[in-house]
Amino acid sequence: MLMVANWKMNMDRAAISNYLDVLSREERWSRWCSNGYRLVLSPPSVYLDFLACEIRKRELPFWVVGQNVCAHEKGAYTGEVSVDMLRDLGVSGVILGHSERRRLFGETDAHVAAKTALALSRELVPIVCFGETEAERLSKEHAQVWERQIAPVWKEVLKARAAGSETPVYWAYEPVWAIGTGRTAAIDDIREVAGSLREIFGHDCSAGLLYGGSVTDESLAVLVEKGTVYGFLVGGAFLDSEAVLRAFDNLTHHP
Ligand code: PGA
């Protein structure tokens, strides 16, 4: 199970050190890891290097992923970060198509597909976000929205697979109405997503479905369902390292 902390545009070096100091006091990380529970941290890009170094220094078994990457390989793209730069820093993967990037920075389904292709070509694990707005859910268009967002990305995944890529891909269902609102999807909603993905992909994707949207260490308990969801993308709640510890403690005791 993957627990991805999306720090968004928060934290600084002092806060990161403090966060890792708190997590380092926990002695069960390697046991949790060997039982399949992995913490993944996603800092702002300027702190990827610092975070990766601090994790190595403390010998913690966490993965580091980016929050975004450029859809182009290299060149005149002022302000962007490339897949090779992420690789160079020892980053394992990258969150793609987060609704904040789509809504605030004009990212399209085509951009997300191009970024996924590039990430796979460099063995960077893509965590592809998708999800409907409240209006789309109310008008019962949500399943079409998922398909529209996922289909072009899936095409690229198939091309990469045909070219020999074995890099895993995670699909993060993040309904826009649940992000930062305190409202979480119900387990039935997540089961519906799993069913839709099965139709789009033509096979079961339970090994790759994550859920995100107002997850807390408490709400986790009702959302965990083995065989339906493989992990979670957590924003606000995981800015607090104590909440991360509580979440892992709860999860690993879950039947
Ligand atoms: P949230 O954010 O947990 O604060 O709702 C989740 C996300 O946007 O990935």
Side-chain angles (χ1 to χ4, degrees), residues 176-192:
V176 179
W177 49 267
I179 295 177
T181 59
R183 291 165 57 198
T184 45
I187 188 71
D188 278 344
D189 299 329
I190 302 176
R191 285 194 199 115
E192 186 189 354

Side-chain angles (χ1 to χ4, degrees), residues 3 8 21 78 108 142 162 215:
M3 300 296 296
K8 308 194 179 183
D21 286 345
T78 302
T108 63
H142 49 286
V215 174

Side-chain angles (χ1 to χ4, degrees), residues 6 8 98 100 174 178-180 213-215 233-236:
N6 177 9
K8 308 194 179 183
H98 190 283
E100 284 150 18
E174 294 222 312
I179 295 177
S214 295
V215 174
L233 198 50
V234 189

Side-chain angles (χ1 to χ4, degrees), residues 66-106:
Q67 295 177 9
N68 182 33
V69 76
C70 185
H72 303 278
E73 276 190 61
K74 64 194 241 177
Y77 299 101
T78 302
E80 291 289 279
V81 171
S82 76
V83 279
D84 287 329
M85 292 169 188
L86 294 186
R87 291 279 322 188
D88 193 33
L89 298 181
V91 165
S92 320
V94 61
I95 298 172
L96 296 175
H98 190 283
S99 64
E100 284 150 18
R101 298 231 41 97
R102 294 176 191 262
R103 192 164 43 89
L104 305 171
F105 301 99

Side-chain angles (χ1 to χ4, degrees), residues 86-249:
L86 294 186
R87 291 279 322 188
D88 193 33
L89 298 181
V91 165
S92 320
V94 61
I95 298 172
L96 296 175
H98 190 283
S99 64
E100 284 150 18
R101 298 231 41 97
R102 294 176 191 262
R103 192 164 43 89
L104 305 171
F105 301 99
E107 197 157 300
T108 63
D109 301 330
H111 288 137
V112 182
K115 292 176 181 197
T116 305
L118 214 44
L120 289 175
S121 74
R122 303 302 200 282
E123 295 174 6
L124 267 183
V125 175
I127 301 172
V128 181
C129 302
F130 66 99
E132 78 286 358
T133 61
E134 174 130 62
E136 288 160 343
R137 174 156 283 266
L138 290 174
S139 58
K140 303 208 184 319
E141 290 165 72
H142 49 286
Q144 282 124 281
V145 172
W146 305 337
E147 170 140 29
R148 192 200 70 223
Q149 292 175 337
I150 288 171
V153 182
W154 182 236
K155 238 193 211 165
E156 295 303 329
V157 175
L158 289 178
K159 272 195 232 162
R161 293 282 180 263
S165 164
E166 292 178 2
T167 306
V169 179
Y170 296 104
W171 306 91
Y173 172 51
E174 294 222 312
V176 179
W177 49 267
I179 295 177
T181 59
R183 291 165 57 198
T184 45
I187 188 71
D188 278 344
D189 299 329
I190 302 176
R191 285 194 199 115
E192 186 189 354
V193 176
S196 284
L197 294 193
R198 214 175 295 127
E199 276 173 31
I200 299 170
F201 301 151
H203 66 81
D204 188 11
C205 74
S206 52
L209 179 60
L210 312 182
Y211 168 76
S214 295
V215 174
T216 64
D217 49 298
E218 286 160 9
S219 66
L220 263 180
V222 289
L223 293 164
V224 178
E225 185 174 72
K226 288 217 171 77
T228 302
V229 66
Y230 183 71
F232 296 92
L233 198 50
V234 189
F238 275 8
L239 288 172
D240 173 7
S241 46
E242 300 284 358
V244 175
L245 289 176
R246 285 195 301 272
F248 271 78
D249 204 39

Side-chain angles (χ1 to χ4, degrees), residues 45-66:
S45 57
V46 287
Y47 296 126
L48 283 165
D49 196 25
F50 178 71
L51 176 64
C53 290
E54 291 296 307
I55 285 174
R56 272 197 299 274
K57 218 159 70 186
R58 291 169 165 83
E59 299 183 355
L60 291 163
F62 306 153
W63 287 340
V64 176
V65 301

